[in-house]
Amino acid sequence: MVEPQLQTILPASQNICSGGSSSLVNLYSNITGGVSFNWVATGTSGISGFAASGSGNVPSEILTNTSTTPGTITYSISASTMGCSGPSQNYTITVNTLPVATASPASPSVCSGTQVNIDLSSNIGGANFNWTVSAGNGVTGATSGSGGAIQQTLTNTSQSVQTVSYFI
């Protein structure tokens, strides 16, 4: 009896954000019944939260990326049945870094009727910024928006110091 060439059938690769959970990777083959799967995982620098090896399906895992660029985990998967092994195949999960917004200056003080200028930057190049705002009673000119800087003329019509908070 000659067995057919064993092939592992993989789902589409995954892209998740750092701190997120990957989906269970169900492994299949072109041969039904009696197929066992083993895998070994390697991650790029800064990736953690994954099992180094296992058997059966690749489990759902909470994955973290501490670098400033996307990282990957590559699972080298091998299948076997009835003494026959198929070629190893790679399955990849990309773990994207979470952007961290930085406001400069972080807590500026301005006089009523003058413009606040807050530059926004991120640990990730090309990040887009959106903000909402909460302003104290009597403050006008503070609005939600987007862009690389918050530049708004703030006016305080009250008789006391007021706080404007931007949530980026």
Side-chain angles (χ1 to χ4, degrees):
M1 179 185 312
V2 177
E3 297 293 331
Q5 174 69 42
L6 180 61
Q7 296 177 351
T8 301
I9 300 169
L10 298 175
S13 60
Q14 298 179 47
N15 284 291
I16 67 169
C17 292
S18 181
S21 181
S22 64
S23 296
L24 172 72
V25 180
N26 289 308
L27 302 173
Y28 301 97
S29 76
N30 61 324
I31 298 174
T32 57
V35 177
S36 62
F37 298 96
N38 292 298
W39 47 266
V40 175
T42 56
T44 56
S45 179
I47 303 296
S48 63
F50 62 95
S53 63
S55 60
N57 294 325
V58 177
S60 173
E61 300 171 302
I62 296 173
L63 304 172
T64 303
N65 182 352
T66 58
S67 74
T68 58
T69 59
T72 59
I73 302 164
T74 301
Y75 297 87
S76 178
I77 301 166
S78 59
S80 62
T81 187
M82 294 183 259
C84 298
S85 296
S88 292
Q89 292 194 39
N90 289 336
Y91 182 82
T92 303
I93 298 176
T94 300
V95 184
N96 295 304
T97 303
L98 292 178
V100 176
T102 302
S104 181
S107 298
S109 292
V110 296
C111 296
S112 180
T114 60
Q115 181 172 291
V116 64
N117 291 299
I118 303 171
D119 291 322
L120 305 175
S121 61
S122 173
N123 60 325
I124 307 292
N128 296 313
F129 302 97
N130 296 299
W131 63 85
T132 58
V133 64
S134 174
N137 292 332
V139 175
T140 60
T143 59
S144 298
S146 63
I150 301 172
Q151 298 175 321
Q152 298 178 343
T153 300
L154 304 175
T155 303
N156 181 358
T157 59
S158 77
Q159 298 300 313
S160 60
V161 173
Q162 296 294 318
T163 299
V164 175
S165 298
Y166 291 98
F167 303 94
I168 304 165

